[in-house]
Amino acid sequence: MIFTWVAIVLQAWEGKLRGLGYRVTAPRRAVLRALARAHRPLSVAELHKRGRAQYACLGLVTVYRTLQMLERVGLARRIHAGGACRSFVASTPGHSHTITCEHCEKTAEFDGDDVCLLPAGLEERTGYRVSGHWLQLVGVCRSCRASGD
Amino acid sequence: MIFTWVAIVLQAWEGKLRGLGYRVTAPRRAVLRALARAHRPLSVAELHKRGRAQYACLGLVTVYRTLQMLERVGLARRIHAGGACRSFVASTPGHSHTITCEHCEKTAEFDGDDVCLLPAGLEERTGYRVSGHWLQLVGVCRSCRASGD
DNA sequence: TGGTAACTGAAAGTGATTTTCACTTGGGTC
DNA sequence: GACCCAAGTGAAAATCACTTTCAGTTACCA
């Protein structure tokens, strides 16, 4: 039996959900799988379509509900792109940020605890005491650079 | 004749719009004014309501169109809050970031060219060459701290 | 094996945004 | 100052993005 990377990730996710008291159902598996296989942020509609490839009668509402749940437990992350926040990527729990390729949209996470690294004297300049932040980077991924795009 | 700060800002904005070939109309002035007077991010509906205080028959569609135009020229900025990107604040053109108070939502800009200051070796770690970023901070403003909130 | 609370899909409801179109107007021209 | 017309406008309708409701189904614990 061959285990793909996606299968291993799904296994881990399902264990995590079960551990948190969530049921692992066929519709949820379909959404999880679509998320795990994607290499770029996907809209709810796209996830619905891809999820249906695995579970034909997957309902759109279930996709919304599953994403909400996955976001809550840190397994999915909402991405800001094109003036809206309607796309999702798979995520690992914990504090991290994302970087998205401006050509192919492939999105990666990187650990962010050491990022900010905020401008010196920000509190003095603005009067605000910083308690949180939200950072998204844009760049060009290795393969798009290699293909000269 | 007394010039308030808001009046001065509006004057500058109107000059900028005219310079770019946009017409300065009563509906646009109403939206600009509502934006300039706000101390926190406002939704489209709120801007519509406030704009009507100055120009009674301001249409909702015009608010959308004006915001789109202002965002394009850098005079308004969309703010991400509560899982959506539906609020706007006045903005100064150029590269800067925002910080929003988690209590009163008052939002300030700060210059961001010196921010990132990204984690060393990000390109090596992720394979991405960074070309841009989007950063929003959350904190507590001076007056909310003073009031012990 | 049940039993049951969690989960589901369809349909209807809501709210945000865009499109369309006939009408109005800012601002340059004479 | 009157005229012109492309840019701008508001209302209504259409579209899109969710959310709620509800009757039926199912994962999983005892």
Side-chain angles (χ1 to χ4, degrees), chain A residues 13-131:
Chain A
W13 285 2
E14 292 182 10
K16 163 141 187 161
L17 292 187
R18 257 187 266 265
L20 289 166
Y22 293 103
R23 287 190 189 165
V24 175
T25 65
R28 285 180 176 173
R29 268 204 199 93
V31 176
L32 278 171
R33 188 157 210 265
L35 257 189
R37 299 174 86 160
H39 295 299
R40 63 175 179 84
L42 296 180
S43 69
V44 175
E46 284 171 316
L47 284 166
H48 183 217
K49 193 172 157 204
R50 294 185 184 202
R52 284 198 150 174
Q54 182 183 348
Y55 183 73
C57 57
L58 177 66
L60 182 61
V61 186
T62 298
V63 179
Y64 276 105
R65 285 190 281 228
T66 302
L67 285 170
Q68 195 170 36
M69 183 264 285
L70 292 175
E71 214 183 349
R72 199 161 52 233
V73 305
L75 294 178
R77 173 190 295 271
R78 197 181 278 268
I79 293 290
H80 175 99
C85 305
R86 287 181 183 144
S87 302
F88 291 83
V89 289
S91 171
T92 49
H95 183 80
S96 61
H97 303 292
T98 58
I99 179 161
T100 301
C101 177
E102 62 190 40
H103 294 300
C104 68
E105 293 192 306
K106 191 169 67 187
T107 298
E109 288 185 308
F110 61 95
D111 188 23
D113 282 327
D114 53 347
V115 168
C116 293
L117 299 190
L118 290 170
L122 183 69
E123 184 173 335
E124 287 70 45
R125 271 198 277 160
T126 64
Y128 287 65
R129 181 157 303 155
V130 179
S131 63

Side-chain angles (χ1 to χ4, degrees), chain B residues 68-144:
Chain B
Q68 195 171 35
M69 182 264 283
L70 292 175
E71 214 184 348
R72 199 162 50 233
V73 304
L75 294 178
R77 175 191 294 271
R78 196 182 279 267
I79 293 290
H80 175 98
C85 305
R86 290 188 178 134
S87 301
F88 291 83
V89 289
S91 171
T92 49
H95 182 79
S96 61
H97 302 293
T98 58
I99 178 161
T100 302
C101 177
E102 61 189 40
H103 293 301
C104 69
E105 293 194 306
K106 192 169 67 186
T107 297
E109 288 185 308
F110 62 94
D111 188 22
D113 283 327
D114 52 348
V115 168
C116 293
L117 297 190
L118 289 170
L122 183 69
E123 184 173 335
E124 288 70 45
R125 270 198 279 160
T126 64
Y128 286 66
R129 181 157 302 155
V130 179
S131 63
H133 58 269
W134 193 51
L135 173 65
Q136 268 188 224
L137 303 185
V138 181
V140 185
C141 73
R142 206 189 305 270
S143 53
C144 283

Side-chain angles (χ1 to χ4, degrees), chain B residues 23 25 27-28 55 57-59 62 65:
Chain B
R23 286 190 190 165
T25 64
R28 284 180 177 172
Y55 182 72
C57 58
L58 178 65
T62 299
R65 284 190 281 228

